[in-house]
Amino acid sequence: MLDRNRQHQIAGPGHGQALSADLYYDGAQNYNPYGRDQPEQEEGFNPLKLFFYVVQYRWLIVMMAAAGLVAGVIVTMMQTPKYQATTQLEVLVPSAKVFQDIEVVSENSDVRAFLTAREKLKSRALAQRVVFQLGLSEKPDFLFPTPNFSLSNIFYRAFGIAKSPSVQEKTPEERESIAIDRVLKDLTVSLVTNTSLLSITFADQNPKYASDVANQVAQSFIDQRLDQTSETSDLARQFIQEQVLQVKQKLQKSEEELVAYAKDAGITVTGDDKSLIGSNIEALNTALATAIQERLDAGRVVEQIDKGRGSSLGPVLESEGLQKLSDKLADLTSQYQQKLGILKPGFPEMQQLQSQIKELQRLYNNGVLTITDSLRQRYQESQNKEADLKTKLAEMEKQQVIFNDKNIKYTILKREVDSNRSQYDNLIAKLNEVGVSSELKTQSAAIVDFATLPVRPYSPRLTINLAIALALFMALSASIIYIIELLNNTFTNPEQIEKELGLAMLGILPLVDDRELIASIADQKSGLSEAYRSLRTSLQFSGAEGAPRSLLVTSSEPSEGKSTTSFKLGQDFAALGARVLIVDGDLRKPNLHRLFGLDNTIGLSNLLTNTVRKEDLASIFRATKYPNVTVLTSGTIPPNPADLLSSPKMALIITNLGKRFDLVIIDAPPVVGLSDAPILSRLAEGTLMVISTNQVTRKSAKTALKRLRAAGANVVGAAMSKFAVNKFDYNYAYKYMNYQYYDYGTSTPKLEGKVDDGAGQPAYAKSPAFKRLVRRIRSSVGGFVDRSKSVS
């Protein structure tokens, strides 16, 4: 039984519809099918997804990689080999200057000097000098080289064919211009970081030209700087010499005017450029200061004399005669005092000593008086001298006032003489400095390393070309894969159905070849049969009371496998002991009678139109070779299938059949473009959508689902058909690629190809690969049009 708790009697169509709506469908807004999780958050970067894309499009990637390698080789062959040589030049920034006094002053290096040197190395004037030095304008292989990138280079490099250019067609001026342009084009000058070195690199197809031009550029730069320095020195010397002559003439004229005026004005100038009056005043001031100092010193001496201290003055003490008298006086006084203790003062000897002492004392006092009188005389003389000097100074100051009036013009003339003399001296110093600089011949640059002859070309490099070509072609392949995935508007994995349609995935049906379809369905151990049994199990758990009593099987478009699904589900439910009736509800292109091997003379259409006799009613429900499986074919194809299916009699038939059978499976026509499936979906308790892989577009499936729900259908879920289990695919391929596990070790062949309903022509009438290609193109174009419409 389908469900042990389920009753076999079901109410009429109206009640049955309400019951199915409560069990399986809760409106379009609150629909949340059984077994479907809530929408997940957007995923970030998934390496596994990238890996499966690589595996899925592995042949495209391999072909693009191979094309990239071939393109890299071809591009390398199309390029002409080029050699390059490098010369290192050191720029010598002036770090010292020579001045008039031969003083050396150091300066900081300036980066602008290096930048200026670099630009000069790339100047056209220097290139013209290089062309002239090497005679490049007369060398055809330099003027007309092989094209750097050309298809003809393949033949040149393969067969050694070389061009023989001619220079006779060009004038000398044109050849020189071509050579200069070639030098400038292939010349590179760069500053070595944190150094004063410049790298001069030249590239050419001829290795000798590469080294010769690089070395000559450096040498020509040095020669050019020396020539410019020498030329500048000569011009500077000539200019300074002219200025010296002019200033010399002006100096002579100004001096003559100064001397003439001094002679007329009676101005006498000493050797130190001072006037005689000024010199005299200066001398008088000096002498007056000395006289005043002398008078003050003499005044202090006289003051001491007046106070009675003349004997203690320095001149008295320093007098040798007075010093001898003082010593003799002291000696006699000492003798007198010694003898006074023995002899009385009246004693003749004592009186004689007294007489000597008095005479010596008189002589000493007279000497002191003489010296003090001379000091007083000196003081008087100093006073007189001071007075004379003051008188003379006053007279000279009067003369100075008169001289200053005459000295105004004299000062002006003298200032002009001094200015002209200063200019003359400076010009003479500059002339000497220029002469010394021109004699030194200091170089502003020096070659550090000369360019050597290159032994191998630096371009083209096969590894780099291959890497670039491979990267470009890999990027191109990624773009192609992205565009393919963008245009692919079909379903490639079950996750897309759950995300886009919001349906529970009840089963995944593997893809089989048309020639193996019948055998796979008949074989209960095949992967396809096991997939259908898995779908049956999912249907049993699709509702609270088990599988629906009436199940409509439909799809968005034809040839998606709905008839095969109805056929196989009927067998699988019957295998559980249920009484199953399979109704062919496709009154336009019926197919079930072919799958069961029955005729289609009478069936559902005859029952709806009352064109069957009562005695033939029992023969309409045909038993099959499968136990518990009964089939009601479509019957005669009517002109108005929609009217018949929407009649009350159809609802009554479905209700009555639900009472007689445990499960009624209705094989309905596609939804898109027809109204049959929405009409039948209202009569069934549940609707199963069959969606084929890489066939039906997402918009078509959404439209079909929208129409079914608008008609009140209870869509219990979806089954994905034609899923390639042997194909890697993101997020589901790794789960289902081992689907052969369900074969239980049988020798069932690989499941490839496609499932077909069998309608129309035989399965082998068309190539499966061709059909898949047509469907892929149609779905891609349709998806692109839909995206364009949505963006607009």
Side-chain angles (χ1 to χ4, degrees), residues 87-317:
T87 300
Q88 284 196 340
L89 181 70
E90 181 182 6
V91 178
L92 305 176
V93 179
S95 58
K97 289 185 178 180
V98 181
F99 291 89
Q100 180 178 356
D101 54 355
I102 318 300
E103 179 182 2
V104 179
V105 180
S106 56
E107 297 181 345
N108 294 327
S109 298
D110 192 358
V111 178
R112 291 176 298 179
F114 303 122
L115 299 179
T116 303
R118 185 183 66 180
E119 295 303 320
K120 285 186 175 180
L121 284 166
K122 296 189 294 184
S123 64
R124 191 172 186 86
L126 186 64
Q128 183 179 13
R129 190 172 186 134
V130 172
V131 170
F132 176 76
Q133 292 292 337
L134 297 178
L136 299 178
S137 59
E138 304 298 330
K139 297 180 179 180
D141 54 344
F142 183 83
L143 296 175
F144 308 105
T146 305
N148 292 330
F149 186 83
S150 175
L151 185 63
S152 58
N153 288 339
I154 299 178
F155 301 98
Y156 298 155
R157 297 181 65 180
F159 303 104
I161 302 176
K163 290 184 177 181
S164 55
S166 175
V167 298
Q168 302 301 327
E169 300 177 356
K170 301 291 183 180
T171 63
E173 292 78 11
E174 291 176 343
R175 294 198 301 270
E176 182 181 4
S177 177
I178 294 173
I180 293 173
D181 292 337
R182 277 226 54 208
V183 171
L184 295 176
K185 178 183 177 181
D186 296 325
L187 180 65
T188 303
V189 182
S190 59
L191 177 63
V192 181
T193 307
N194 297 327
T195 66
S196 60
L197 299 180
L198 291 175
S199 293
I200 304 172
T201 303
F202 187 77
D204 194 82
Q205 299 174 6
N206 190 328
K208 190 174 187 307
Y209 287 154
S211 59
D212 290 347
V213 172
N215 290 328
Q216 187 59 46
V217 167
Q219 187 61 46
S220 297
F221 175 76
I222 296 174
D223 296 340
Q224 185 185 51
R225 294 293 296 271
L226 291 176
D227 293 344
Q228 291 175 352
T229 303
S230 177
E231 182 179 357
T232 303
S233 299
D234 294 339
L235 293 175
R237 185 186 300 105
Q238 182 179 358
F239 173 77
I240 294 174
Q241 286 176 349
E242 294 176 356
Q243 295 295 318
V244 166
L245 293 176
Q246 295 178 7
V247 174
K248 183 179 180 180
Q249 293 175 0
K250 292 173 61 178
L251 177 61
Q252 291 176 354
K253 183 178 179 181
S254 61
E255 287 178 342
E256 291 174 355
E257 292 177 355
L258 178 64
V259 172
Y261 177 78
K263 183 178 180 181
D264 295 340
I267 298 175
T268 303
V269 180
T270 60
D272 53 357
D273 294 339
K274 293 181 181 180
S275 65
L276 184 59
I277 297 174
S279 299
N280 293 335
I281 291 175
E282 184 177 355
L284 287 174
N285 283 324
T286 303
L288 180 61
T290 304
I292 293 172
Q293 184 64 37
E294 291 177 355
R295 190 259 304 172
L296 292 176
D297 293 340
R300 285 193 293 269
V301 171
V302 171
E303 184 179 358
Q304 293 293 328
I305 294 173
D306 293 339
K307 291 181 180 181
R309 300 174 183 174
S311 60
S312 62
L313 294 177
V316 175
L317 298 177

